[in-house]
């Protein structure tokens, strides 16, 4: 039996992971499941999967979780420290699918105890790439990408030498507003930004897809995970979302990873790696697909990409600034405090403010420095939002 844990179990990636585990329950011994506010889902999955422990990220929800687990053998726990404790429990395979920088510490704990970490939480690599990789090295843990583009690149690189790679191309659907007239973008509503044309995902990443902040994070994730130089990484808009990434080699060959937009492929690949096993995903009928199209991402539509590129080149703690400011700006948009197009402006303001005091970006990549930087970036994003509100 493989010991497995899922952090962010109640979310979109978490539920897709549970769907795969349910198809072979005899193969898995579930150690920990974590959630946030969806206590009913967390308790129900913890019961049916017979988890050792269920953790909600929010201490004020502990009583509710305890009540929902009454009569079962599942332990209940709550809060950030309980997440770290649960991730430190020995497990063979751990899914990191909390949304946001909150996923960093549980992931580090899992890597520290030598687990294989299936990494959906791209924010970990964006905020603290070198620290995450070093923790894996020291703890004997291994990281497998779950983000569809990165799983695709990983698969295209099997059996290849990194030295023969010339380019890594990650695709972007273009998000909810890819065909909108630019002058209409300032009017984009939360409901409109929350509808993805191709993928069914959590609300935050769906809005980040509309703004391309998601792709900007993925640029940085690509550089950190595969250790390729920024100038080798390209983004292309591919509205069909069937090619997830391409790797270009020095002989001119491009290896593309093609498949339906279903995260159970990338999750299942990471679950069964290094083997391939049957997965319950649609088999593409290429004749009915008929055509695949591509276009250059427009700078004016997607300012987040330009910011992400600058951060990817800058390195140091700038990834933590970028992500922290982006998370707060997104909170602001979700709360109706700022408009859709204001998010990029807020993040740029915060980056500029840090850039004016470069010492802040060049500290050591320790957990403490990353957390402090994240905190300050959020504070400055709040200030920038207040200033805009006048
Ligand atoms: P969801 O919003 O659907 O789920 C997020 C999960 O994190 C839920 O379990 C949620 O709990 C929990 N959570 C929320 N806030 C906190 C917090 N402060 N501390 C701890 N846990 C918290 O997100 P997704 O599943 O869409 O995305 C998860 C991660 O995977 C993100 O990093 C995303 O970028 C990445 N990813 C997602 C893809 C997708 O297809 N969805 C594709 C590629 C990457 P609850 O819901 O109970 O409140
Ligand atoms: Mg992705």
């Amino acid at each position: 039996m493989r010991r497995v844990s899922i952090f962010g179990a109640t979310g979109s990636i978490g539920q897709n992971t549970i769907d795969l585990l349910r198809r072979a329950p005899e193969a898995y011994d579930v150690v920990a499941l974590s959630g946030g506010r969806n206590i009913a889902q967390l308790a129900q999955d913890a019961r049916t999967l017979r988890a050792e422990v269920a953790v909600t990220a929010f201490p004020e929800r502990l009583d509710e979780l305890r009540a929902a687990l009454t009569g079962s053998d599942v332990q209940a726990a709550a809060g950030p420290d309980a997440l770290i404790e649960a991730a430190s429990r020995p497990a063979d395979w751990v899914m990191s699918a909390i949304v946001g920088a909150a996923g960093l510490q549980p992931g580090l704990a899992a890597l520290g105890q030598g687990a294989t970490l299936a990494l959906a939480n791209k924010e970990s690599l964006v905020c603290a790439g070198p620290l995450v990789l070093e923790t894996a090295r020291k703890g004997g843990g291994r990281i497998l990408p779950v983000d569809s583009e990165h799983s695709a690149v990983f698969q295209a690189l099997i059996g290849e030498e990194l030295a023969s790679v010339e380019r890594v191309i990650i695709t972007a659907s273009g998000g909810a507003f890819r065909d909108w007239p630019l002058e209409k973008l300032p009017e984009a509503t939360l409901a409109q930004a929350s509808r993805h044309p191709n993928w069914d995902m959590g609300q935050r990443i769906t809005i980040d897809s509309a703004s391309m902040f998601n792709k900007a994070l993925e640029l940085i994730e690509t550089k950190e995970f595969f250790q390729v130089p920024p100038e080798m990484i390209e983004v292309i808009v591919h509205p069909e979302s069937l090619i997830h990434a391409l790797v270009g080699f020095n002989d001119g060959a491009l290896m593309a990873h093609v498949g339906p937009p279903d995260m159970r492929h990338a999750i299942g690949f990471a679950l069964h790696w290094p083997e391939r096993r049957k997965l319950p995903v649609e088999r593409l009928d290429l004749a009915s697909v008929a055509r695949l199209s591509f276009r250059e991402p427009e700078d004016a539509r997607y300012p987040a990409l330009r910011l992400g590129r600058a951060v990817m080149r800058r390195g140091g703690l700038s990834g933590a600034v970028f992500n922290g400011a982006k998370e707060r700006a997104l909170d602001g948009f979700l709360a109706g405090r700022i408009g859709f197009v204001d998010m990029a402006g807020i993040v740029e303001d915060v980056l500029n403010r840090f850039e004016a005091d470069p010492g802040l970006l060049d500290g050591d990549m320790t957990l403490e420095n990353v957390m402090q930087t994240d905190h300050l970036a959020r504070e400055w994003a709040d200030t920038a939002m207040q200033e805009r509100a006048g």
Side-chain angles (χ1 to χ4, degrees):
M1 294 256 270
R2 284 176 85 195
R3 287 172 61 87
V4 303
S5 292
I6 306 174
F7 290 85
T10 51
S12 166
I13 293 284
Q15 290 292 300
N16 276 309
T17 308
I18 288 174
D19 175 79
L20 293 180
L21 299 187
R22 282 236 165 81
R23 292 163 192 264
E26 67 292 345
Y28 305 105
D29 193 359
V30 177
V31 181
L33 294 183
S34 95
R37 297 189 170 80
N38 193 346
I39 301 295
Q41 186 72 52
L42 177 61
Q44 184 195 320
D45 290 333
R47 277 174 187 274
T48 56
L49 293 169
R50 298 171 183 277
E52 246 172 60
V53 60
V55 190
T56 163
F58 305 110
E60 67 277 13
R61 308 301 289 268
L62 181 58
D63 288 344
E64 194 186 330
L65 179 60
R66 279 208 180 106
L69 289 170
T70 309
S72 75
D73 293 333
V74 185
Q75 300 157 29
D81 291 340
L83 284 172
I84 296 170
E85 188 280 324
S88 307
R89 297 189 186 200
D92 302 304
W93 189 87
V94 175
M95 168 53 76
S96 166
I98 288 173
V99 63
L104 174 61
Q105 290 199 63
L108 289 174
L111 287 171
Q113 54 97 347
T116 291
L117 189 70
L119 190 66
N121 179 268
K122 62 194 81 185
E123 296 90 341
S124 297
L125 284 175
V126 171
C127 295
L131 176 64
V132 172
L133 299 184
E134 186 194 301
T135 306
R137 253 192 318 273
K138 282 192 181 150
R142 169 189 291 284
I143 308 168
L144 294 172
V146 171
D147 213 344
S148 56
E149 298 76 6
H150 305 75
S151 176
V153 173
F154 186 88
Q155 294 181 50
L157 286 174
I158 291 173
E160 304 285 356
E161 293 289 336
L162 211 50
S164 62
V165 173
E166 269 182 1
R167 38 203 300 234
V168 174
I169 308 168
I170 58 176
T171 59
S173 69
F177 307 131
R178 63 190 178 201
D179 297 318
W180 274 39
L182 283 180
E183 62 280 7
K184 263 190 71 191
L185 284 182
E187 299 154 28
T189 66
L190 179 57
Q192 288 164 333
S194 303
R195 275 196 299 269
H196 197 283
N198 306 332
W199 291 91
D200 180 13
M201 310 186 286
Q203 188 184 28
R204 296 183 72 95
I205 184 175
T206 301
I207 299 168
D208 284 349
S209 298
S211 63
M212 281 269 191
F213 268 112
N214 180 50
K215 212 51 55 179
L217 298 175
E218 290 181 0
L219 278 171
I220 303 164
E221 183 187 12
T222 304
K223 176 199 152 204
E224 297 296 342
F225 188 89
F226 298 103
Q227 299 281 299
V228 287
E231 56 280 8
M232 273 173 47
I233 311 171
E234 302 170 30
V235 172
I236 188 89
V237 174
H238 167 48
E240 295 83 7
S241 293
L242 295 175
I243 296 183
H244 306 302
L246 308 94
V247 177
F249 294 92
N250 57 7
D251 58 358
L254 272 178
M255 300 297 286
H257 181 282
V258 191
D262 183 337
M263 285 308 294
R264 291 177 306 174
H265 169 75
I267 297 167
F269 179 82
L271 182 62
H272 301 308
W273 182 90
E275 287 173 32
R276 281 192 190 272
R277 295 208 192 144
K278 266 194 181 304
L279 290 173
V281 301
E282 182 199 339
R283 272 46 175 176
L284 282 184
D285 171 6
L286 290 175
S288 66
V289 168
R291 55 180 288 136
L292 299 173
S293 61
F294 305 93
R295 48 174 123 136
E296 202 66 55
E298 300 154 78
D299 293 341
R301 188 179 301 276
Y302 304 120
L305 273 185
R306 170 177 53 81
L307 300 177
R309 279 209 174 276
V311 168
M312 172 169 63
R313 282 191 296 266
R314 179 65 175 78
L317 292 163
S318 66
V321 173
F322 185 58
N323 181 70
K326 189 282 292 178
E327 286 196 39
R328 280 310 279 161
L330 177 55
D331 291 340
F333 177 61
L334 282 163
R337 288 175 66 198
I338 57 170
F340 178 77
V341 294
D342 296 328
M343 289 190 285
I346 302 287
V347 173
E348 186 159 22
D349 285 355
V350 176
L351 284 168
N352 287 340
R353 204 167 155 188
F354 271 88
E355 214 44 87
D357 189 351
L360 288 174
L361 295 176
D362 294 320
D364 292 338
M365 176 66 66
T366 59
L367 181 59
E368 197 188 0
N369 280 346
V370 172
M371 302 303 286
Q372 264 175 18
T373 306
D374 170 84
H375 194 82
L376 189 57
R378 286 169 200 258
E379 212 176 287
W380 285 357
D382 281 337
T383 312
M385 284 193 275
Q386 274 153 18
E387 282 168 6
R388 270 167 200 249

